[in-house]
Amino acid sequence: MTVLLALCGGLGAACRFALDGAVRTRRPSRFPWGILLVNVLGSLLLGFLTGLVAGGADPRWRLVLGVGFCGGFTTFSTAMTDTARLARERAWRLAAGNLVGTLATTVPAAACGYGVAGLL
Amino acid sequence: MTVPHRDPRLLLLVGAGGTVGTLLRWAASEVVPALGAFPLATLAVNLAGSFVLGFLLEELLRRGAETPALRRWRLGLGTGVCGGLTTWSSFAVELDRLLRGGAVGTALGYSAASLAGGLLAVAAGTVLAARRTR
């Protein structure tokens, strides 16, 4: 189970790299839209999986797809270094927007995923 | 020319790094003791990963223009290992759980410790790399 979880984490990281790269190519910006999108999607999915397990689903799903895939897919460190980079460039609004914006979109995304799982 | 995120070898490198990072995060969740409702394990990996990524990016930046070898270090160790070690989804779900349970104070403390601590960890890693290569 641990091996499967770790491999899913690797898959998640590769998906993050691919999706972020695709967003960067299509929408070049100083603001890290790609990482924001990744973190919102991953929080939505982990919220959904958490809701499924709370509703009686096999917790191994949450372990492999949640701790593995969603954990590898989403990133905290890049969000922090992006914010620090924007602050160093004195782009204060973008830095604050990235920090507050990510928090303000991912927590409702997690709640939304949890709520949708409860409806199933 | 292939763009990096479509290069199968670089995707594999990021994936390999992400596997290592995920394994480390899972191990941390097994060894970091529980602190009541406070998600200490997530905080620990997020701060550690932010420190390492801050150090790595500054270290690489100080080596000048990015060569293919430096890019492999950034993608394997940074995007892969640090990205896989740290997690935003667990942070968001844990905050949601705390808020749902009415533990607003703990949620506020957890988000403040994570965000302020994460930025401080990046700054510490950056300063350390800058001092080392001066």
Side-chain angles (χ1 to χ4, degrees):
Chain A
M1 195 55 70
T2 312
V3 174
L4 199 58
L5 178 155
L7 286 175
C8 271
L11 181 67
C15 287
R16 163 164 44 83
F17 178 46
L19 184 59
D20 180 41
V23 171
R24 275 171 200 274
T25 314
R26 281 170 184 74
R27 188 177 177 149
S29 165
R30 284 168 85 191
F31 189 81
W33 290 110
I35 295 299
L36 176 64
L37 178 67
V38 160
N39 282 338
V40 169
L41 289 177
S43 300
L44 182 73
L45 180 59
L46 186 62
F48 179 71
L49 292 164
T50 306
L52 284 184
V53 171
D58 191 335
R60 282 179 295 184
W61 282 103
R62 189 187 184 278
L63 196 63
V64 172
L65 292 179
V67 178
F69 184 82
C70 294
F73 185 55
T74 62
T75 174
F76 184 88
S77 49
T78 305
M80 289 301 124
T81 50
D82 281 339
T83 304
R85 171 181 55 80
L86 290 167
R88 275 172 96 173
E89 293 170 359
R90 305 203 174 275
W92 304 113
R93 275 190 190 181
L94 293 182
N98 188 40
L99 208 62
V100 178
T102 307
L103 195 65
T105 49
T106 52
V107 178
C112 182
Y114 190 92
V116 167
L119 297 175
L120 298 180
Chain B
M1 203 184 96
T2 324
V3 276
H5 67 279
R6 289 199 193 132
D7 184 333
R9 282 176 307 174
L10 293 181
L11 277 164
L12 206 63
L13 179 69
V14 170
T19 301
V20 172
T22 301
L23 208 54
L24 289 172
R25 174 163 41 82
W26 178 81
S29 75
E30 296 282 300
V31 293
V32 174
L35 198 75
F38 193 88
L40 195 60
T42 307
L43 180 67
V45 292
N46 279 347
L47 296 190
S50 298
F51 173 80
V52 175
L53 188 60
F55 180 89
L56 177 77
L57 295 184
E58 183 67 21
E59 176 78 34
L60 294 177
L61 201 68
R62 284 175 175 260
R63 294 182 182 218
E66 188 167 69
T67 62
L70 290 182
R71 181 157 75 181
R72 283 195 291 274
W73 278 104
R74 178 171 62 82
L75 294 179
L77 213 57
T79 309
V81 178
C82 292
L85 172 68
T86 64
T87 171
W88 195 290
S89 51
S90 291
F91 176 48
V93 165
E94 285 155 357
L95 278 178
D96 177 49
R97 174 174 55 78
L98 289 170
L99 292 172
R100 197 184 298 281
V104 180
T106 309
L108 283 176
Y110 180 41
S111 34
S114 299
L115 299 183
L119 288 176
L120 280 175
V122 169
T126 306
V127 167
L128 192 69
R131 282 209 184 147
R132 225 178 66 81
T133 52
R134 188 166 55 192

